[in-house]
Amino acid sequence: MFIMTDYTYSLIYNSPSVQRSDGSYIPADDRNVDWQQYQEWLALGNIPTPVDISIYKTNQTNKISSACGESIVSGFFSNALGSLYQYPCDSNTQANITNLSLSGANGSVWCGNSPTNWNFVPHTPTQLKHLQLDMILHIQTNQTKFSELLIQIQDATTPEAVQPINW
């Protein structure tokens, strides 16, 4: 039997290890004396302090924010030219499409009709306006999904409810 002290324990985010109230990190190892003391402490009916749920919420929010950004810049499809083409959607392309559409002039935009066949293709003002609307729809669809997931994260009350919320 180990000499028990007045330690308490806290769970550590995303780890089987625990932190003891004196600041020591205790690895989840049955051969470790400190881990054995922790197991005895649990056997006495004690409950470790849970990880603050805000850590889980922040982590999931960062993950879905990153996934949203990646989804936006991965590009979109438009039939502005009369058949379906893929367009990039990085910030430079977004600015180019928006500026060309607002100018009312003809302009060229990168697009592809296959993953390996990309060209700088001329578009009329009407085609550019159509393209801009498709781009806006693409961005808004992604941002709406992000917003819906963010609400789910904010409403979650346990780490187990937060973790499965993914893009």
Side-chain angles (χ1 to χ4, degrees):
M1 180 64 128
F2 297 103
I3 299 172
M4 297 299 287
T5 61
D6 291 327
Y7 292 130
T8 59
Y9 298 87
S10 299
L11 300 176
I12 300 171
Y13 173 73
N14 214 18
S15 172
S17 301
V18 295
Q19 185 175 18
R20 194 168 56 199
S21 54
D22 67 353
S24 298
Y25 287 90
I26 313 300
D29 180 350
D30 290 333
R31 299 168 294 178
N32 182 298
V33 173
D34 293 323
W35 182 257
Q36 292 169 10
Q37 287 178 338
Y38 169 63
Q39 295 304 313
E40 287 183 16
W41 182 82
L42 289 173
L44 294 172
N46 294 302
I47 299 172
T49 304
V51 176
D52 183 353
I53 192 170
S54 66
I55 295 171
Y56 289 93
K57 289 182 175 188
T58 298
N59 187 47
Q60 288 307 101
T61 298
N62 291 341
K63 284 181 183 179
I64 66 167
S65 177
S66 183
C68 178
E70 290 172 15
S71 182
I72 289 171
V73 300
S74 71
F76 65 99
F77 290 90
S78 175
N79 63 355
L81 292 173
S83 59
L84 204 58
Y85 282 83
Q86 184 174 5
Y87 292 82
C89 198
D90 57 273
S91 58
N92 288 335
T93 302
Q94 289 177 39
N96 186 37
I97 291 170
T98 299
N99 290 335
L100 286 170
S101 177
L102 292 174
S103 76
N106 291 325
S108 294
V109 180
W110 284 102
C111 62
N113 58 6
S114 76
T116 58
N117 188 20
W118 287 80
N119 293 296
F120 199 53
V121 179
H123 289 63
T124 66
T126 302
Q127 291 168 333
L128 288 165
K129 190 65 169 171
H130 182 125
L131 181 60
Q132 182 187 32
L133 292 173
D134 287 344
M135 178 183 71
I136 290 168
L137 177 62
H138 166 71
I139 293 168
Q140 287 292 296
T141 298
N142 280 280
Q143 290 178 337
T144 298
K145 180 178 178 178
F146 174 70
S147 174
E148 291 166 353
L149 293 172
L150 194 57
I151 289 168
Q152 290 178 33
I153 290 170
Q154 291 169 349
D155 289 347
T157 58
T158 65
E160 294 78 19
V162 173
Q163 289 181 305
I165 302 170
N166 290 299
W167 190 257

